[in-house]
Amino acid sequence: MTSERDTILRVRDLSVDIPVPSGTLHAVRNVDLSAIRGRTLAIVGESGCGKTMTALAVMRLLPGRARLRAREIGLEGTDLRSLSDKAFSAIRGNRMAMIFQDPMTSLNPVYPIGDQLEEIHIRHRGSGRREARERAEYLLARVGIVNPGTRLRQFPHQLSGGLRQRIMIAMALMCDPALIVADEPTTALDVTVQAQVLHLLKDLQAEFDMALILITHDLGIVARIADRIAVMYAGRIVETGSSRQIFAAPTHPYTQGLIDCIPYPGKTERRTALGSIPGIVPSLVGDAPGCMFRNRCAMAEERCRDGGNVERSVEDGHSYRCVHPVERLRGTMVPS
Amino acid sequence: MGRFFVQRLGVAVLVAITVSIIGFALLRVSGDLAADLAGEDATPAEIAEIAALYGLDRPLHEQYLTWAADALGGDLGQSLFTNEPVMDLILERVGVTILLSVYSLVLALGIAIPLGVLAAIRANTSIDRAALGVAVFGQAIPNFWFGLILIYLFGVLLRWLPISGSSSFAHFILPTVALGTAVMPALMRLTRTGMLEVLEADFIRTARAKGLRPGAVFFKHALRNAVLPVVSLSAVSLGFLLGGSVIVETVFALNGIGLLAYESILRSDFPVVQSILVFVSLAYIVLTLASDLINARLDPRIRLG
C-alpha cells in the first residue's frame, strides 16, 4: 500500500458545473481520484466526458463561467481550495505542471523557446537568466533535443510538432514538479512520434519521481503506461482500477466497449470490423438520475433509470458504477 | 531580416513614384491651372501667356519629368503667391505639424493601449462599458468643435492654457487633446478586440499554467500578439494627422502644413499644393515602411517567414 506521503494529489467529490442558456451543464460529477508519486493514473474517455475539465479544475484553469465544487483538492498536503489565486499561481508550473494537447498553438509565437522556458524558473525559483538558461538547456537535452543551445534561440514556428511537444514536456519539468498532468499529449502528433513521446514521459516520470496523470481517449496507449485507470463517461468515473484489473476484467459495459475498440496487431482477425459503441454521448445539461450510459448499453433495463450511479466494488481497488452484478456483466459482454 | 527590409524598401520606392505621378496628373486635370492663375477677366491670349510662362502648355509627361528631376535635386519650385522657394515654406511649417501629430499620437496610444487592455481583461463589465463610452465620445465629437470647447474651457474660462500659436509646449496641449481624442477610439477598440482574441489562445492558457503573474500573462504574452494591427493603424493615423490636421490647425492658429495647404489651394498656388501632396504621400509611405519593420521586430513569423 502507498503511504500518505506518496499521495501527491487527492481529489474528493469534484464537480464542475457550467451555466448554459438551457440550464446547467454538469461537466464533471462527483469525481474522486488520487495521484501517487512515481505512478501513472490514466483518465480515459471519449470527447466531452469531462476528463479535460477535471484536469483544468485541478489546475484552476477552468473557463471563467465554470463553477467548481469539491470536498477536497489536496496537493502534497496543501488544500488547494483555500488558496488565493495569487498563492495558487505560485504552485502552478512549480509543484504541478500541465502539458496540453496541441503543441502547435500552446507556445507563444512571438518569443523564442528559451525565453518561454526560462521565465518559469525565474518566476518560481527566483533564479537569474543564466541559471534558468542552464536548466532549460539541460532539460531540452534530456527530452531528446539535439543542439539545445540553438533550439532555445528559435521560435515555435520553426519547429515540428514533435519537437514542440518535447519542449512542452521540458517546460513542465522546469521546476521539478511533483505532479504532471498531460492532457492528450500525443493526440496532435504523427503516429510515429506518439510512441516516442509516451516513452519519454514514462522515462522522465521515473527519473524525476513524479506522479503523472495522463488524459487520453485512446485506451490502447494506456495499457503500457498506466498503473491505474479511471474510465470517465458523461462527467462521471464509471470504472476505476489498476491497469491489470481493468484490462483483465473490465466490468462496466462502457469500459468493455472501449476495450473492444482497440485493434491488436497480430491478434485482431484481418477484415473483421473493429468494435464501436453505437449512439452518442447524452446531453450533460440538467439533472440526470440513473446511468448515463443506458441509452447506448446493450444490457440497459428499467432499473438503470434510477440506479446505476452507486459505486460497487469488484475487489480491492477496483470499482464500477452499474446496477448489474459483476458475474452478469462479465458473462454477457466479454467476447469469448 | 535584411531581405525583408530590401523587399519592403523596393515596394516603398515604387509606391512613391506612382503616387507622385498620380498626384501630379490629378492636379493638372482638376481644372485649367493657367486660367485659374490668370484670373476671371483674363483674355485667352493672357491665359496662353501664363501657360507658356509656367510650362503648362507642354505635354504632361514632359512637365512631370522636369518637375520630378528638380524635386529630386531639392528644388520644389517657387510659390506663385509669395515667390519663396516651396522647400523653405514647407520646412518652415512642417515642424509644427510633425510635433502636433506626434504628440497627438503619443497621447492617443497612451490612453488607447492601457484602456483597451483593461477593457479586454474586464470584458462585459462596467469598466469595459465605460471604456466603450469614452471611445464613442471621442469618435462622435467633431474635433474642431471639441477644440473650440477646449479653448473656451481652459483658455477663456479657466485661463490655464494659451489658445493660439505654437511658441511653447503649452501651446500644443489643447490641439493635442483635440486631435488625440479623435484618433484614440479606433486604436483603443483595436487593442481591445485583439486582446480579447489573444486571451482565448492556447498559449495564454499555457502562460497561466506556468504560474506566471497576471501582469506577465496580459502584458508580456497577450499584448505583444494583440498589438500588431495597432502598430499598423498607428502609422496610418500618424499619416492622417500629418496631412489632415487642417481644421484643428486653423482653430488653434497653428502655423502648420495643413494651414499652408488650405491657403495654397484657395490661392491656386499649385507648386505648393503639389509639394505638400507629395510630402504627405511620402510620409504615409515612410510610416507604412516603419510599421512593417516594427511588426517584423515584434513578430518573428513576419521577419523569418
Side-chain angles (χ1 to χ4, degrees), chain A residues 56 61 89 92-93 100 102 105-111 115-116 119-120 123-124 155 157-158 168 171, chain B residues 201-203 205-206 208-213 216 219-222 224-225 298-301 303-305:
Chain A
L56 293 178
L61 290 172
S89 75
R92 203 163 46 203
F100 295 100
D102 191 349
T105 55
S106 294
L107 290 162
N108 194 330
V110 302
Y111 291 104
D115 184 88
Q116 301 187 49
E119 65 179 350
I120 308 169
R123 158 78 170 102
H124 294 297
F155 290 91
H157 74 277
Q158 299 171 303
M168 291 301 289
M171 195 176 262
Chain B
D202 285 350
F203 61 80
R205 194 180 52 186
T206 307
R208 290 202 173 106
K210 292 196 281 194
L212 299 182
R213 294 194 172 86
F219 288 97
K220 180 179 175 187
H221 284 275
R224 181 143 163 194
N225 281 279
L298 290 172
D299 189 343
R301 286 167 299 181
R303 68 172 180 268
L304 302 169

Side-chain angles (χ1 to χ4, degrees), chain A residues 263-270 272:
Chain A
Y264 289 97
K267 281 189 199 162
T268 306
E269 288 280 322
R270 280 172 186 279
T272 53

Side-chain angles (χ1 to χ4, degrees), chain A residues 97-108 113 116-117 120 139-140 143 145 156 159 161-174 180-181 185 197 200-201 204, chain B residues 202-203 205-207 209-210:
Chain A
M98 190 157 175
I99 298 165
F100 295 100
Q101 175 168 355
D102 191 349
M104 305 309 273
T105 55
S106 294
L107 290 162
N108 194 330
I113 301 302
Q116 301 187 49
L117 287 161
I120 308 169
L139 283 174
L140 281 202
V143 298
I145 292 178
L159 308 169
L163 270 182
R164 289 194 218 184
Q165 197 60 302
R166 284 171 193 271
I167 286 160
M168 291 301 289
I169 293 171
M171 195 176 262
L173 294 171
M174 275 304 277
I180 285 194
V181 180
V197 168
L200 176 65
L201 267 177
L204 291 168
Chain B
D202 285 350
F203 61 80
R205 194 180 52 186
T206 307
K210 292 196 281 194

